Structures are given as structure tokens and as C-alpha cells.
């Protein structure tokens, strides 16, 4: 079927796997230290995520700061 100019079909943008791998490279982990911190988050990072995932806390943290908002809902 003819595709109107200006729009692409999924068939027209397929490329070979080898070609895709030439410009999409995965980042290699350089040390066990980096791998460790990818899997184990700091307590502060966990607290930030807990607050961000709870909309009232996330909204309040934009108004008064993270520490006050976190203590208001979870402290």
C-alpha cells in the first residue's frame, strides 16, 4: 500500500540488527562499586522516592521543601 508523504509506516523504518548495534551501545559497568550502588539505594534516596510516589507529599515538597514534607507525612 502506498503511504502518504510525511508519514512513516513501521515497515519503512526497520533497520538491521547489526546497523542498530553500531550506534546504540550499552554502557559497560566499570567497577563492582558502581554495580553495588545501582542496586542498593541510600536511605535518603529511598525517602525521596517514597515522598515522590505519594502525590500529597510530592506536592508539599515543592512548596516547603523535602524535609518538612517528608516529616509531615512519614515522620
Amino acid at each position: 500500500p502506498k503511504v502518504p508523504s510525511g508519514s512513516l509506516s513501521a515497515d519503512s523504518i526497520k533497520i538491521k540488527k547489526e546497523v542498530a548495534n553500531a550506534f546504540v551501545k550499552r554502557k559497560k559497568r566499570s567497577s563492582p562499586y558502581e554495580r553495588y550502588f545501582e542496586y542498593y539505594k541510600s536511605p535518603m534516596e529511598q525517602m525521596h522516592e517514597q515522598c515522590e510516589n505519594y502525590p500529597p507529599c510530592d506536592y508539599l515538597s515543592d512548596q516547603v521543601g523535602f524535609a518538612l514534607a517528608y516529616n509531615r507525612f512519614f515522620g
Side-chain angles (χ1 to χ4, degrees), residues 25-62:
K25 296 286 184 191
R26 291 179 55 188
K27 182 183 174 206
K28 302 282 186 208
R29 302 286 176 224
S30 62
S31 72
Y33 183 79
E34 288 181 21
R35 278 186 233 118
Y36 174 83
F37 282 103
E38 182 176 323
Y39 294 111
Y40 301 101
K41 296 177 181 167
S42 71
M44 183 60 75
E45 179 69 20
Q46 292 173 359
M47 290 165 57
H48 272 277
E49 288 184 356
Q50 185 179 10
C51 187
E52 288 172 356
N53 290 333
Y54 185 60
C57 183
D58 190 33
Y59 176 78
L60 189 60
S61 71
D62 290 338

Side-chain angles (χ1 to χ4, degrees), residues 3-41:
V3 178
S5 63
S7 67
L8 295 173
S9 69
D11 293 331
S12 67
I13 57 174
K14 288 183 180 175
I15 59 175
K16 291 183 181 177
K17 187 175 172 180
E18 296 79 21
V19 176
N21 287 339
F23 61 89
V24 179
K25 296 286 184 191
R26 291 179 55 188
K27 182 183 174 206
K28 302 282 186 208
R29 302 286 176 224
S30 62
S31 72
Y33 183 79
E34 288 181 21
R35 278 186 233 118
Y36 174 83
F37 282 103
E38 182 176 323
Y39 294 111
Y40 301 101
K41 296 177 181 167

